[in-house]
Amino acid sequence: MQIDVFTLFPEAFDWFVSQRHVANALALGHELHRVNYRDHTPLSGRQVDDTPFGGGAGMVLRVDVVEAALRARYDTDPVLLPSQRRVIALDPGGRLLDDALVDELAAQPALTLLSGRYEGFDERIVEHFATDRVSIGRYVLAGGELAAMVVCDAVLRKQPGALGDERSAREESFSAALEGGPEYPHYTRPADHRGWRVPEVLLSGHHARIAEWRLAQSRARAAGAKAPDTLAAPARAPRAPTSRT
Ligand code: ADE
């Protein structure tokens, strides 16, 4: 798939693109391009935003600037883009990103992500150029870059071959294999640390029982409960402070 991220801070993605699963996805032929709105602004002084009509705090990303950046990238009037690809405006008030939406986006051949800054976008950008508004949670970040990275991360790790072991994606939280529930608990060596023992079934080598146990754990977590054998040992009373006089 091809992902284009429009941003004022393309360098913010440097660390992200070096992550293993992202690098794997890119090596497999997927593409992640960054477009700096400022490189295409028709305004002087590389201006990209302006004060809101009607007053109020903050700055708003300008529609003419976003239009120029989209035109430069796609060589078409951006009002035509929504019929050609998903154009997503990252917006705290948008549709909440969940696994179903990630699956939907991961199946697209091309995505355009528009990061906003300051007070966000001139509404006409979203109305005329975007197909979706997507939120990564009901809180406000200083800009859309982190949200864009979250979308890219979630979508790219779903691409076959991006994760080292395909089982990671098949049997993870919210997958069909776990009936849409959260993932079961994992343990590794040592099998006993301070008396905190790994559930015996996981050491049994009995694959069917392990699968059954894991599904039961996932179901219990989905129900908001903890399955009995992951319950922490009852807390001991704190040791009385030793007084030194
Ligand atoms: N931009 C600022 N906050 C955001 C959020 N929570 N989700 C998506 N985009 C954002």
Side-chain angles (χ1 to χ4, degrees):
M1 76 185 308
Q2 189 214 40
I3 306 180
D4 293 337
V5 183
F6 287 70
T7 170
L8 291 171
F9 301 98
E11 66 288 349
F13 291 79
D14 289 349
W15 165 85
F16 176 70
V17 295
S18 72
Q19 295 308 291
R20 175 73 63 83
H21 65 290
V22 179
N24 285 347
L26 300 184
L28 285 164
H30 300 290
E31 294 172 33
L32 179 60
H33 299 278
R34 296 172 253 178
V35 181
N36 190 341
Y37 295 117
R38 281 193 207 282
D39 292 344
H40 305 285
T41 177
L43 308 171
S44 61
R46 289 169 65 79
Q47 185 189 348
V48 291
D49 54 4
D50 225 320
T51 50
F53 282 126
M59 301 291 271
V60 176
L61 201 55
R62 286 178 55 136
V63 62
D64 48 354
V65 170
V66 174
E67 170 159 344
L70 289 166
R71 263 185 202 279
R73 175 76 183 134
Y74 301 113
D75 197 23
T76 187
D77 184 335
V79 295
L80 301 174
L81 283 176
S83 62
Q84 297 165 12
R85 54 196 289 144
R86 291 286 276 270
V87 181
I88 295 167
L90 293 151
D91 174 350
R95 175 176 167 192
L96 278 176
L97 187 69
D98 61 9
D99 198 54
L101 180 52
V102 171
D103 276 338
E104 197 179 309
L105 299 179
Q108 299 292 316
L111 291 180
T112 297
L113 303 180
L114 303 177
S115 323
R117 266 273 137 178
Y118 319 116
E119 282 307 294
F121 304 97
D122 183 302
E123 186 60 22
R124 291 166 292 184
I125 296 168
V126 184
E127 203 176 311
H128 298 289
F129 307 149
T131 54
D132 308 70
R133 292 174 199 264
V134 170
S135 169
I136 63 161
R138 293 289 184 247
Y139 42 81
V140 182
L141 300 165
E145 281 71 24
L146 287 172
M149 276 184 246
V150 167
V151 173
C152 291
D153 187 298
V155 159
L156 287 175
R157 70 188 291 289
K158 295 260 188 187
Q159 303 303 321
L163 298 176
D165 184 338
E166 289 315 298
R167 281 175 300 180
S168 316
R170 214 180 322 125
E171 229 183 66
E172 66 183 2
S173 292
F174 322 120
S175 61
L178 294 179
E179 301 168 344
E183 204 169 350
Y184 44 78
H186 296 281
Y187 298 88
T188 187
R189 292 180 190 85
D192 185 345
H193 179 70
R194 299 176 55 183
W196 304 331
R197 290 193 47 74
V198 168
E200 219 51 57
V201 61
L202 297 178
L203 310 174
S204 69
H206 195 299
H207 297 300
R209 277 182 49 218
I210 293 171
E212 208 176 288
W213 179 87
R214 285 177 165 165
L215 186 56
Q217 294 288 325
S218 170
R219 284 177 178 158
R221 284 185 165 183
K226 267 192 165 186
D229 52 356
T230 62
L231 282 174
R236 290 195 202 100
R239 229 183 289 154
T242 43
S243 59
R244 280 198 182 169
T245 45

